[in-house]
Amino acid sequence: MGEHIVIQSADDWSRVVLGRQDGSSFGDSQDSFVFFYRKVDPRKVNFRLSATFEVDDVSGVEPLAGYGVMAVDTVASPLPDSRHRNHALSGRFRTVSGSNYGYGLRIVCGYTDRRALPQDGNRRLDPSRLFPTQDCPDEIRVADRRRFTLAKTDAGLEALMETPAGIETLRFPGCSFLMRQDRKAIYVGFAVAGDIGLRITDICFKTSPGRLSRTPKDAVGHYVPDYPFCRNLLTESIPDAPALRDTMLRVCPDGSPMSLKKALAHAGPGCEIILSDGVYSEGPYYIPEAYSGEPGKPVVLRAEHPGKAVIDCSGIAAKLPAMTLRASYWILDGIVFRGSPSCGLFLCGSDNLVRDCEANGNGDTGILICSFPGSAKRKWPARNRVEGCRSCDNCDPARRNADGFGAKLSVLKGNGFYSCKAFHNIDDGFDLYTKSTLGPIGPVTLQDCEAAFNGWLSSENRPEQDLRTGAGFKLGGERQQVRHRLVDCVAHDNAKKGFSSNSNHASKMTGCKAWGNGEDFSLN
């Protein structure tokens, strides 16, 4: 890890790295950080630990960085995949909304496995509890300086922050949630994540006789992030329009004889909507479940001339995909999706075919298969086929997350990409990421696909520095094992890696080739 920590104190603090070695973060599904600690028995002892934190290096800072005074359930088994620990942090971290680095109290609980392995996926991430004073910018900067305290009392935990106006306090009832992995002790000290340099001074650590207090069952909320957008942003009402079956509708950019939104509202099984050439900019477009086709009678939305009908959402402010397809049994053919602040095409229904489409210049993944935010697992997308599509120059503001194609986080069986090409996306060409809190996704098929020049945009030169983005094919995440199938796929000239298992060792590759990547095959 890139963190360097200077503790200016005569006291002796044990050091351990809790989590993976190739980067660290306080995330929504796992955590990895450097930890300096002392062991205490909360059944007999109360404590109060205060320190001043000053940032002195942000040259390699990561998006999910953070630091502060922390109490951790266990430091046992500090292996790269041991990233799941109950803890409480009084300090600075990315808030659960992702909007800023806040000052507050971060609570993670629910784990019982002493080894802190991802198979124990009962994590509960409490919504961020923030101090009233939030005068920090949306970045961690050199010379940021703040004093934090974490205290255990007979009633629970207290997080304190010193400000020019006085001391602010947040309280949390009980601390028994920190006694599930190691039932005889907790570990108190200083944590830092996200490749930052930190100087810790003016340390004050005191203990006194105390007792263990119980954490009420309802004390911890449960934050589940919405992806790729907040469901509350999708407030557009669904028109109450009769569905037209077995009908052909023609739409034009100027809305005559019918606008695209109106045509979508009338679409029924067997209906075909033809998009005349031009730019359609009245989006974003939302196709709900109620507009589904039927087996043998899909709804067809196609460009009259492939590549000439462009859905452009560069003018919208909300972080919404250009088109959200929540319905099933649709065919999208020959359409371009561009300029959205979020995904180009968000595919969250089942049994759909996306053919000869293109996604470019979007603020997240070009074409993404993933469940609609808040959907039950039985509603996760399945049996979607994406073929002959192209996705390029997709880039999020943080230059970390936008892929060409994705089938990740929450998808069932039967999804696949065939003869698709991903070029110049800021993150990965094809991303099949999994999270331990959600469990393994359904196996995905990739056949005759190509990923190249990912990690930088077509308007830029290939970066010379070592990047953590820019893989051709990313096949997993968080030690979840899924048997994806890759046949005759090619990865070349990607900034980071050609084919990356990303801790998923179950995929099967046949006839795949790689050259010119930062690393061609990273399958360990």
Side-chain angles (χ1 to χ4, degrees):
M1 292 184 182
E3 286 94 351
H4 64 271
I5 306 173
V6 178
I7 299 180
Q8 294 183 343
S9 171
D11 295 329
D12 181 27
W13 297 88
S14 300
R15 180 187 188 277
V16 67
V17 176
L18 300 180
R20 63 187 187 273
Q21 302 286 337
D22 60 342
S24 61
S25 65
F26 292 132
D28 57 34
S29 61
Q30 62 179 11
D31 302 288
S32 182
F33 51 93
V34 177
F35 188 47
F36 292 79
Y37 67 91
R38 291 256 186 102
K39 182 178 178 180
V40 300
D41 186 346
R43 299 169 299 180
K44 302 176 181 179
V45 171
N46 290 331
F47 65 83
R48 184 182 183 91
L49 176 58
S50 303
T52 299
F53 295 79
E54 183 171 1
V55 177
D56 63 9
D57 184 8
V58 294
S59 58
V61 65
E62 291 292 307
L64 297 176
Y67 54 86
V69 184
M70 180 181 281
V72 178
D73 196 333
T74 180
V75 295
S77 188
L79 302 174
D81 55 350
S82 300
R83 296 163 290 177
H84 302 263
R85 302 166 196 277
N86 305 317
H87 67 258
L89 172 73
S90 173
R92 191 172 187 193
F93 49 88
R94 177 71 76 177
T95 63
V96 294
S97 66
S99 59
N100 70 297
Y101 285 103
Y103 300 124
L105 176 63
R106 184 178 194 264
I107 299 288
V108 173
C109 70
Y111 293 113
T112 58
D113 181 10
R114 179 180 175 86
R115 300 168 298 169
L117 296 175
Q119 286 77 9
D120 188 13
N122 300 312
R123 175 190 181 97
R124 293 181 69 85
L125 173 61
D126 195 52
S128 299
R129 300 165 186 256
L130 301 178
F131 293 112
T133 299
Q134 295 293 317
D135 56 355
C136 50
D138 192 19
E139 61 181 341
I140 293 178
R141 302 184 300 187
V142 171
D144 284 345
R145 193 170 191 269
R146 194 67 55 133
R147 186 168 181 82
F148 298 108
T149 298
L150 183 66
K152 173 194 170 291
T153 70
D154 286 346
L157 297 176
E158 292 184 351
L160 299 92
M161 180 179 72
E162 293 187 13
T163 72
I167 297 177
E168 299 177 359
T169 304
L170 298 170
R171 293 181 173 84
F172 184 83
C175 63
S176 59
F177 75 97
L178 294 172
M179 298 286 288
R180 302 297 305 282
Q181 293 174 290
D182 185 336
R183 297 182 182 275
K184 296 182 179 180
I186 62 175
Y187 302 84
V188 184
F190 315 107
V192 60
D195 286 358
I196 59 177
L198 197 65
R199 186 173 298 273
I200 304 173
T201 58
D202 301 325
I203 297 170
C204 181
F205 181 54
K206 297 180 179 180
T207 61
S208 60
R211 61 178 179 83
L212 182 68
S213 54
R214 297 293 173 184
T215 303
K217 289 184 178 180
D218 59 353
V220 179
H222 186 34
Y223 172 75
V224 179
D226 286 341
Y227 182 78
F229 60 88
C230 175
R231 74 191 88 170
N232 295 331
L233 291 175
L234 200 57
T235 57
E236 181 182 10
S237 61
I238 301 172
D240 184 14
L244 302 177
R245 301 174 65 97
D246 304 312
T247 303
M248 180 180 291
L249 302 174
R250 179 179 292 275
V251 300
C252 295
D254 64 3
S256 61
M258 180 179 289
S259 70
L260 175 54
K261 284 194 174 183
K262 187 173 182 179
L264 294 174
H266 282 286
C271 185
E272 182 176 16
I273 303 172
I274 301 174
L275 299 178
S276 300
D277 296 355
V279 177
Y280 295 80
S281 57
E282 63 172 350
Y285 299 92
Y286 173 53
I287 305 173
E289 290 180 272
Y291 296 0
S292 293
E294 297 173 351
K297 282 196 171 186
V299 179
V300 178
L301 176 64
R302 68 175 179 88
E304 184 174 19
H305 301 104
K308 300 297 184 182
V310 179
I311 292 178
D312 188 311
C313 286
S314 56
I316 67 172
K319 192 177 184 296
L320 291 171
M323 178 171 284
T324 299
L325 178 57
R326 198 174 180 183
S328 299
Y329 298 106
W330 275 63
I331 296 175
L332 306 185
D333 194 344
I335 303 168
V336 178
F337 303 92
R338 77 180 185 200
S340 164
S342 180
C343 302
L345 172 63
F346 179 36
L347 188 58
C348 47
S350 296
D351 298 290
N352 297 297
L353 170 62
V354 180
R355 180 172 57 206
D356 297 332
C357 291
E358 179 177 327
N360 65 72
N362 297 288
D364 209 305
T365 300
I367 297 178
L368 174 65
I369 306 175
C370 186
S371 68
F372 190 82
S375 295
K377 189 169 185 177
R378 61 185 175 82
K379 292 281 191 178
W380 288 5
R383 301 175 301 279
N384 293 292
R385 182 182 179 94
V386 180
E387 66 176 40
C389 294
R390 174 187 174 96
S391 188
C392 60
D393 282 310
N394 297 294
C395 180
D396 59 291
R399 296 175 66 90
R400 296 283 306 178
N401 298 313
D403 307 305
F405 299 90
K408 56 186 179 180
L409 303 180
S410 50
V411 299
L412 298 178
K413 297 180 179 179
N415 299 294
F417 301 93
Y418 303 84
S419 301
C420 294
K421 300 179 184 296
F423 299 104
H424 284 298
N425 299 286
I426 207 63
D427 194 7
D428 306 316
F430 295 82
D431 188 359
L432 310 182
Y433 197 82
T434 55
K435 283 191 174 183
S436 58
T437 47
L438 296 173
I441 64 174
V444 178
T445 298
L446 297 103
Q447 184 171 334
D448 296 316
C449 291
E450 180 180 1
F453 311 113
N454 293 291
W456 73 100
L457 304 180
S458 60
S459 59
E460 303 170 339
N461 295 323
R462 179 168 183 161
E464 296 181 359
Q465 70 271 28
D466 183 28
L467 297 179
R468 290 183 180 162
T469 60
F473 296 84
K474 183 186 290 181
L475 306 181
E478 302 187 15
R479 305 281 170 171
Q480 302 300 296
Q481 303 304 301
V482 186
R483 195 173 176 81
H484 301 305
R485 187 170 71 97
L486 286 77
V487 180
D488 297 332
C489 292
V490 173
H492 64 90
D493 299 296
N494 296 287
K496 188 64 177 176
K497 299 175 181 178
F499 293 88
S500 171
S501 69
N502 206 39
S503 78
N504 172 26
H505 304 129
S507 296
K508 182 178 181 180
M509 300 172 60
T510 304
C512 296
K513 300 178 181 179
W515 66 88
N517 306 285
E519 182 180 356
D520 289 337
F521 292 93
S522 176
L523 305 178
N524 296 327

